[in-house]
Amino acid sequence: MTNSTDKDYNKGRADQQMFMDMFNQRYKYKLVEYPSKYAPIDFILLDGKSVVGFAEYKHRKISKDQYDHIVIDHNKMKKLREHKDGSNKPAYLILTYLDGTYVYELTGQIFDIEYGGRTKKTRNKYDIKVVEKIPSNKFKHIDIIFKDA
């Protein structure tokens, strides 16, 4: 990894830990890190020892409606769909924006796919990849999704 990539990775891990701590204090279900050195997704949702879902977490330094869509690595979305389909449990894409935390519960729908990614502030060749463009209006506030959890 490059120095810039190392910093981004460490910042991402810190953001994930802060989110997990907040989630686990606020909601009935508990998030735990996916138990694998090379985890395909970030979290497992638990109710006691029962797996009740899967989640990928991202932090964006924009407001939720700044753009009409959010760009996510297509492979991440495929892994979330595999977990949803292979377990019959829900899978979530969770994004913390500047103005709150929002959740998209996967339905199986595949959105527009393009070759792109991080085109501004590109760190290395791996920032440009196949991505999905998920409409911003598909995300609901976290309290709506997990209010009873």
Side-chain angles (χ1 to χ4, degrees):
M1 278 193 259
T2 66
N3 193 23
S4 173
T5 306
D6 287 339
K7 285 180 186 175
D8 284 352
Y9 174 80
N10 291 334
K11 174 77 171 101
R13 294 281 298 151
D15 288 342
Q16 283 181 357
Q17 186 63 50
M18 283 177 33
F19 172 74
M20 185 171 65
D21 293 344
M22 178 282 299
F23 187 98
N24 288 342
Q25 290 175 8
R26 193 169 181 179
Y27 302 104
K28 174 183 141 188
Y29 296 147
K30 299 300 174 210
L31 284 178
V32 296
E33 287 186 36
Y34 197 97
S36 171
K37 183 175 181 180
Y38 301 105
I41 57 175
D42 294 327
F43 298 115
I44 298 171
L45 280 115
L46 297 176
D47 185 4
K49 289 187 177 187
S50 296
V51 173
V52 295
F54 302 93
E56 177 69 16
Y57 176 76
K58 300 292 181 195
H59 186 270
R60 296 289 188 259
K61 295 177 185 173
I62 58 172
S63 61
K64 177 187 173 288
D65 294 321
Q66 187 168 337
Y67 299 104
D68 64 350
H69 63 272
I70 193 76
V71 175
I72 299 292
D73 182 337
H74 178 58
N75 283 326
K76 282 289 184 184
M77 295 302 293
K78 286 190 331 187
K79 289 297 180 189
L80 278 171
R81 285 186 195 97
E82 285 175 19
H83 280 75
K84 176 188 180 317
D85 295 342
S87 67
N88 204 26
K89 306 287 183 194
Y92 305 95
L93 175 60
I94 304 171
L95 276 86
T96 294
Y97 296 93
L98 295 174
D99 53 350
T101 300
Y102 293 84
V103 179
Y104 168 65
E105 182 174 351
L106 276 73
T107 62
Q109 180 178 3
I110 298 173
F111 297 97
D112 289 340
I113 298 173
E114 68 180 34
Y115 183 68
R118 184 182 274 210
T119 55
K120 295 179 182 173
K121 298 183 182 179
T122 302
R123 300 165 299 187
N124 58 46
K125 65 182 181 180
Y126 302 109
D127 280 347
I128 308 301
K129 58 185 94 179
V130 178
V131 295
E132 277 189 52
K133 296 169 65 175
I134 303 172
S136 296
N137 65 4
K138 297 288 185 183
F139 289 82
K140 294 182 170 73
H141 193 274
I142 190 170
D143 289 340
I144 293 170
I145 302 295
F146 294 108
K147 65 181 177 199
D148 297 325

